[in-house]
Amino acid sequence: MTPKRSEHIALGLMVSGAFLALAILFFIIAVIMIKGLPHITLRFLLDNPMDMGRAGGIFSTIVSTVYLLVVSLIIAIPLGVGTAIYLTEYTKEGLITKIIRFGTECLAGVPSIILGLFGFILLVIKLGFGWSVLSGGISLSIMILPVIIRTSEEAIKSVPASYRDINKVLGGTRWQGITRLVLPSAAPGILTGVILSVGRGIGETAVVIFTLGTSLRIPFSLFDSGRSMAVHFYLLAREGISMNNAYATAAVLVFSILFINILSYYLMHRFVARRR
Amino acid sequence: MAATAIQRKEKLIERIFLLIAFSSIFSLFIIALFIFAEGLPLIWKVGLKDFLLSTRWAPTKGHFGIFAMIVSSFWVTIGALLFGGPLGLMCSFFLVEFASDRLRAFIKPALELLAGIPSVVYGFLGVVYLVPLVRDYLGGPGLSLLTASIILGIMILPTVISISVDALVAVPDSYREAAFSLGATRWQTTYMVTVHAARSGIITSLVLGMGRAVGETMAVIMIAGNALKIPLSPLDPLRTLTSNIALEMGYASGMHRQALFATGIVLFFFVMALNTIATVYARRKRIK
Amino acid sequence: MSKLFSRLSRAILLSLLVALPLACNNSSPSNGKKKQASASIIIAGSTSVQPFAEKLAEIYMVKNPWAIINVQGGGSTAGVRAAQTGIANIGTSSRNLHPEEKNLYEIPIAYDGIAVIVNPGNPMKNLSTETLRKIYAGKILNWKKLGGVDHRITTITREEGSGTRGAFEELAMEKTEIDQGCIVEDSNGSVRELVGTDPYAIGYMSFGLVNAQVKAIALDNIMPSIEAMKKKRYRFFRPFLFLTRKKPAGLVLKFIQFVLSREGQDILVKEGLIPSAIIQGEKLKWLLQPSREKKS
């Protein structure tokens, strides 16, 4: 085989590979949107599910999802950003940072079902939180913690060293430097990480179904159970309760995920552009 | 006086941050501890050999063998790698070596969107579109090793692509220019020089992809059929370690629950092994 | 900007301070009681009972807007555990309790048949219990042996621990074990979906949830129907149980009374279940004794 020929074959393979991968993405989005969008109405979004989701809308599942995400972010953001600040501002590269980084990587690799098992037995049963926003929020926060740590660390690292020098020259303490100079200029990057983790949390099922539960009522307190959109979709589709509502829920889900990803991509871009 | 007060405050803040910084390790530790504490007694009771190497899983009747699931998880992971690996690498080679910057700026984030699609959506579309195809044209029940491998292969694409693209981009242009000046074609340069230089990153991407595949649950429950036999052909249904936990978690009490935790221990080992391999390879890259 | 951030960081610290004691505080298992104080209860357990419980709860809540009833899945064994630990006010089970679980108050709210189902395109109309057992034991693998087309049977069972599976094993399998090669699905709905799309599948599910997607077949020449089950000619049925740790009181009692009332039972009958009273033939008062006292 001549080099020219193999070049052509290789290029052909690569182009078709990239094309195939893109085609799969578009297929997934197109199927969900085509089958789901026609069933989405304002009433679908603002009515509570009736008859186990066969009729009515998905309002309570939207509320549950948002509530769950807020609780998990309240737990994960301070821990994640705090870890990132410690790694970048308070230590030099060494054993401790290595251990923390390795731990974070491992935590990111823990399968979600293990988090679900852990949350179900420890939080739901042993600690008696029951299926609740609290159990779900804690379990989910463990899942998104590595995402927030990683992105915040990148964001803080990219703050120019000169900022810290300025702080020193002005006689500010390290804490003042962090709160007045480093965090504000790293904020867009941190926000990107938060948005990304929201994207991951929205679609998560394995953790949420065992910790948040499947109750269709709107959760009011931290100890109320709820049903996230992803779990609702899973149950509707798997139990064959209503395919139309399943597709419509999936469309809302996929649409919000697309929106969130594009938003975070846009923010990241602006952030990077400003840095340059 | 004032200076020491400030210093003390600074010291305190540093301590708090140190505490926070250990939160992820702490969570990992608690999870591991909890899973081991719940699962090990069963392994002790049943015996490690019987637990790992027996194929008979009937927890309500006192049989706790997970060999079939270990084998199934292994095959599904390999299967996902066979579908997702080459496809993902083809994409990344194309993106880095052949596509223009503008094209890459569009395609890479688009493919990373695949990571955002919920796994239940993958599972559902697999059941609706792929399972009937496999059943009608290839035979078997459709819920099978093959179906699960294809879907998981798609699900690991974003991991494989984003990490291997980063690795390929990091290869200095001087390497490529040297190869071109020796008269190599683009493809020859890619597979002889660039891939070679980026190989630790590429291996990391594949290993992390495998980690994603072995840990996936909801999609696998929906498309793999969950049968307890060791799959003998790609068209046989199978049950992975993850789906075993998820399927029976709600019912489990006593020994049965411990057995699910013990399944979790094995899964934990799988994932940690893959992670460690990935970290080792990623570090090798940094040393270079 | 910087002011905003010092404020923000203070807020973050504050939320941390709030979150930490919250996490520690609740490690004491005291919040089971909190839930009962407000008029809200949790029903959790069997996925077979869940749809019916949801329906009943929905109607009850429309009539009594002050009541909040959360209905959860989880599975029969989880239902038993949830009742024992008090995570749920009412646990539900779709199988009889094991001897070691008998420390609960058990209220059979209805009886449900187990139907054996095939794809509507399948000409099969009747199976003997023995043939069914052989199919599930993995002894008969091809429809040809049953006079059908030459194609492998896709045998679908439920997961270990499921009430429906437990009842099926008790009623159909006797001492034989279900073959490990069977496909395992984790709910009535998913068994129905699969049998509805795979022309060569056979499965079993709650009779009350059978719909036009699948075809129920006769066992030993008796079609499953409420009539046949009332007369105990069709043997494949099991109880749907409500389980409580304490003697039912308050909203729990009111809801159970509603379920066992004529109105509640009519709802269940309309959904394809067999009313509790007909088989039990006993009164509510008797049912509310703990099961260990009942025996004496």
Side-chain angles (χ1 to χ4, degrees), chain B residues 217-230:
Chain B
T217 315
M218 300 318 266
V220 179
I221 289 191
M222 294 167 94
I223 50 181
N226 308 320
L228 283 160
K229 263 192 182 151
I230 296 176

Side-chain angles (χ1 to χ4, degrees), chain A residues 68-84 107 136-152 190 193-194 197-198, chain B residues 20-21 23-24 27, chain C residues 12 15-16 19:
Chain A
L68 176 75
L69 288 171
V70 168
V71 171
S72 62
L73 286 178
I74 286 178
I75 301 169
I77 291 176
L79 295 179
V81 177
T83 304
L107 196 61
I138 295 175
S139 310
L140 196 61
S141 72
I142 298 177
M143 194 187 95
I144 60 176
L145 186 58
V147 182
I148 294 190
I149 293 179
R150 229 180 283 155
T151 44
S152 316
I190 295 173
V194 171
S197 56
V198 166
Chain B
I20 290 175
S23 59
S24 55
S27 330
Chain C
I12 289 172
S15 58
L16 214 136

Side-chain angles (χ1 to χ4, degrees), chain A residues 45 57 129 165 196:
Chain A
L45 296 176
F129 294 175
D165 297 339
L196 269 180

Side-chain angles (χ1 to χ4, degrees), chain B residues 180-201:
Chain B
F180 290 147
S181 66
L182 290 175
T185 62
R186 238 169 208 285
W187 171 238
Q188 283 173 327
T189 312
T190 305
Y191 82 82
M192 287 200 247
V193 180
T194 328
V195 170
H196 193 71
R199 72 176 182 285
S200 63

Side-chain angles (χ1 to χ4, degrees), chain B residues 64-144:
Chain B
F64 303 97
I66 62 164
F67 187 64
M69 296 162 222
I70 295 177
V71 174
S72 298
S73 273
F74 175 78
W75 280 124
V76 151
T77 311
I78 297 295
L81 192 67
L82 284 181
F83 281 99
L87 186 57
L89 292 185
M90 282 293 136
C91 284
S92 5
F93 294 160
F94 173 73
L95 286 177
V96 178
E97 306 296 330
F98 293 87
S100 66
D101 281 355
R102 277 185 58 192
L103 199 58
R104 194 199 311 167
F106 166 72
I107 295 181
K108 195 183 173 226
L111 289 178
E112 279 166 359
L113 273 182
L114 279 171
I117 309 273
S119 56
V120 280
V121 170
Y122 282 108
F124 176 64
L125 294 180
V127 170
V128 173
Y129 292 96
L130 197 56
V131 167
L133 275 182
V134 171
R135 182 170 57 221
D136 295 348
Y137 291 99
L138 299 172
L143 304 165
S144 62

Side-chain angles (χ1 to χ4, degrees), chain C residues 57-72:
Chain C
E58 215 173 281
I59 293 168
Y60 187 78
M61 284 189 287
V62 170
K63 299 184 129 207
N64 304 282
W66 52 273
I68 296 171
I69 300 172
N70 282 295
V71 182
Q72 298 277 341

Side-chain angles (χ1 to χ4, degrees), chain B residues 16 20 55-61 63 131 135-136 139-141 143 221-222 225-229 237 239 246-254 256-257, chain C residues 13 16 47 74-79 81 101 151-152 154 158-163 165 169 176-177 179-186 194 197-200:
Chain B
I16 292 173
I20 290 175
T55 53
R56 189 140 176 242
W57 173 266
T60 49
K61 294 177 192 73
H63 299 285
V131 167
R135 182 170 57 221
D136 295 348
L143 304 165
I221 289 191
M222 294 167 94
N226 308 320
L228 283 160
K229 263 192 182 151
R239 180 187 296 196
L247 273 176
E248 296 181 2
M249 179 157 21
Y251 297 106
S253 58
H256 191 180
R257 191 174 89 193
Chain C
L13 266 179
L16 214 136
T47 46
S76 290
T77 311
R81 276 196 61 79
E101 296 165 345
H151 197 282
R152 226 188 122 86
T154 310
R158 292 287 306 280
E159 74 282 18
E160 187 92 14
S162 141
R165 177 182 175 137
E169 280 178 333
T176 356
E177 268 186 41
D179 183 52
Q180 299 211 325
C182 293
I183 284 184
V184 180
E185 292 287 316
D186 63 354
L194 199 54
T197 52
D198 185 342
Y200 307 106

Side-chain angles (χ1 to χ4, degrees), chain A residues 116-132 134-136 139 207-213, chain C residues 31 35 82 85-87:
Chain A
L117 180 67
F118 168 78
F120 177 59
I121 304 292
L122 182 70
L123 303 173
V124 175
I125 292 182
K126 293 223 158 139
L127 295 184
F129 294 175
W131 290 281
S132 62
L134 183 65
S135 304
S139 310
V207 175
V208 177
I209 196 168
F210 294 112
T211 52
L212 178 64
Chain C
N31 41 43
K35 278 166 205 149
T85 53
I87 292 168

